[in-house]
Amino acid sequence: GNRRFPEEWQLWYFNGVINNKLKNTEEAKEAYKKSLKYKDDAFEALVNYGQFFIERNLDKAIELYKKAVEINQENLDVMGDLAIMLHQKGELDEAKIYYDLAINKGTKNKNLINAYGILKRDLGLE
């Protein structure tokens, strides 16, 4: 990173958050992208940037969420979202890994628990 501005990534991250709240989607996307240029393991920036791709480019969203989950295994919502994206994409075995992790870590997310039931049925594990 740039030594003179070690917090540069945070400034871009906050810029992204603000633009997102103002519904300036493209500006927010650019700001998160710049944030990650300065700190490529900024968990929140990875997740927020990834959210822009869920509808349009699932592969890109999955790539960003995987990186986020590598960095922080305690955020069960992000882990669950990754499991569901992989499930939607038909990557059932890989989806199961993240479902298992989230479930074993004690997620209370009902949607995730229901989706996991569907996955187990799809894999013939029920």
Side-chain angles (χ1 to χ4, degrees):
N2 187 328
R3 290 199 187 286
R4 283 183 322 159
F5 302 110
E7 303 311 314
E8 188 85 16
W9 77 270
Q10 273 183 317
L11 295 175
W12 282 112
Y13 171 74
F14 292 134
N15 180 301
V17 170
I18 290 163
N19 273 300
N20 203 20
K21 283 215 185 323
L22 296 172
K23 304 269 187 269
N24 299 334
T25 305
E26 286 310 310
E27 289 90 339
K29 219 160 112 176
E30 262 324 290
Y32 290 134
K33 190 175 173 181
K34 280 197 175 119
S35 173
L36 290 165
K37 210 177 77 182
Y38 287 100
K39 187 176 192 308
D40 65 356
D41 64 349
F43 177 78
E44 292 86 355
L46 284 164
V47 172
N48 291 8
Y49 187 46
Q51 286 172 346
F52 288 113
F53 296 99
I54 292 173
E55 299 295 320
R56 296 179 217 61
N57 182 346
L58 201 53
D59 288 336
K60 177 78 172 167
I62 286 170
E63 174 195 324
L64 290 160
Y65 270 66
K66 274 187 185 173
K67 205 167 177 183
V69 167
E70 269 174 39
I71 293 160
N72 176 354
Q73 300 225 330
E74 298 315 305
N75 189 315
L76 303 185
D77 289 334
V78 170
M79 194 178 284
D81 289 347
L82 175 58
I84 287 171
M85 284 188 261
L86 287 162
H87 191 171
Q88 282 175 328
K89 198 173 171 247
E91 307 282 350
L92 303 188
D93 292 328
E94 199 177 359
K96 185 178 183 301
I97 293 166
Y98 294 104
Y99 278 122
D100 284 340
L101 270 172
I103 302 280
N104 292 338
K105 286 179 178 273
T107 185
K108 301 280 179 271
N109 185 322
K110 294 276 180 274
N111 291 333
L112 186 69
I113 294 164
N114 292 337
Y116 186 58
I118 293 168
L119 178 88
K120 288 199 296 193
R121 203 180 58 218
D122 290 349
L123 285 173
L125 301 172
E126 285 283 88

